[in-house]
């Protein structure tokens, strides 16, 4: 039986700033916290557009609009095909309105000029370059 999983990533933008969230990964690595964009998995029967908006709200408290898909990716784990969609999501909510879920450690709003100074996660920088916002 074929199994598919839909993953979504929300690159949240407010004016000229983007939201980065810090997640815990593993105590056995040098830097157990990593900066990323909000991401998660669509529920069965849920559209990817609705999923990314829901996940952003659950993890940050922000109300967003899915503006457009920036890029896609796929990978296999065993017999499971994972399809990922990265969205540019826009918000008009105040930057101080972020209310983090317990899964997230910190959040910050950064401009594209600050990415190199603030972000050391190479995957996140690759996301920004692929999204053409960097």
């Amino acid at each position: 039986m074929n199994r598919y999983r839909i993953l979504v990533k929300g690159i949240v933008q407010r004016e000229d700033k983007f939201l980065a969230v810090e997640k815990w990964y593993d105590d056995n690595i040098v830097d157990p916290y990593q900066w990323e964009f909000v991401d998660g998995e669509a529920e069965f029967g849920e559209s990817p557009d609705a999923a990314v908006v829901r996940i952003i709200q659950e993890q940050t408290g922000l109300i967003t609009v899915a503006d457009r898909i920036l890029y896609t990716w796929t990978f296999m784990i065993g017999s499971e095909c994972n399809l990922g969609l990265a969205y540019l999501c826009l918000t008009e909510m105040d930057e101080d309105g972020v209310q983090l879920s317990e899964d997230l450690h910190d959040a910050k709003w950064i401009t594209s000029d600050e990415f190199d100074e603030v972000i050391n996660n190479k995957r996140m920088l690759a996301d920004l370059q692929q999204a053409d916002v960097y």
Side-chain angles (χ1 to χ4, degrees), residues 62-107:
L62 294 174
I63 305 297
T64 60
V65 173
D67 183 61
R68 66 184 184 273
I69 296 173
L70 297 170
Y71 63 92
T72 64
W73 73 96
T74 61
F75 62 94
M76 297 290 294
I77 297 179
S79 61
E80 178 181 79
C81 181
N82 292 270
L83 168 65
L85 299 109
Y87 286 84
L88 177 64
C89 296
L90 306 176
T91 187
E92 293 182 7
M93 291 184 70
D94 188 275
E95 294 175 2
D96 296 327
V98 175
Q99 301 293 318
L100 297 178
S101 71
E102 60 187 44
D103 295 335
L104 300 177
H105 181 256
D106 197 3

Side-chain angles (χ1 to χ4, degrees), residues 1 9 12 48 66 79 90 93 108 113-114 116 124 126 128:
M1 176 179 201
K9 180 178 299 190
V12 180
S79 61
L90 306 176
M93 291 184 70
K108 63 173 74 172
D113 293 339
E114 298 170 319
D116 283 331
M124 188 175 183
L128 292 165

Side-chain angles (χ1 to χ4, degrees), residues 15-128:
E15 297 174 357
D16 67 336
K17 294 183 179 178
F18 298 88
L19 180 66
V21 294
E22 193 175 41
K23 295 181 183 180
W24 177 84
Y25 277 90
D26 187 348
D27 284 335
N28 296 318
I29 59 177
V30 174
D31 187 5
Y33 291 98
Q34 299 286 318
W35 288 102
E36 299 235 338
F37 293 112
V38 177
D39 61 4
E41 183 177 347
E43 296 174 353
F44 181 78
E46 182 180 36
S47 77
D49 291 12
V52 73
V53 168
R54 172 187 56 80
I55 290 165
I56 291 168
Q57 185 173 11
E58 288 175 357
Q59 293 185 15
T60 69
L62 294 174
I63 305 297
T64 60
V65 173
D67 183 61
R68 66 184 184 273
I69 296 173
L70 297 170
Y71 63 92
T72 64
W73 73 96
T74 61
F75 62 94
M76 297 290 294
I77 297 179
S79 61
E80 178 181 79
C81 181
N82 292 270
L83 168 65
L85 299 109
Y87 286 84
L88 177 64
C89 296
L90 306 176
T91 187
E92 293 182 7
M93 291 184 70
D94 188 275
E95 294 175 2
D96 296 327
V98 175
Q99 301 293 318
L100 297 178
S101 71
E102 60 187 44
D103 295 335
L104 300 177
H105 181 256
D106 197 3
K108 63 173 74 172
W109 291 92
I110 55 177
T111 66
S112 57
D113 293 339
E114 298 170 319
F115 288 140
D116 283 331
E117 299 166 21
V118 176
I119 305 302
N120 60 4
N121 181 341
K122 291 184 186 340
R123 288 177 306 175
M124 188 175 183
L125 294 172
D127 285 341
L128 292 165

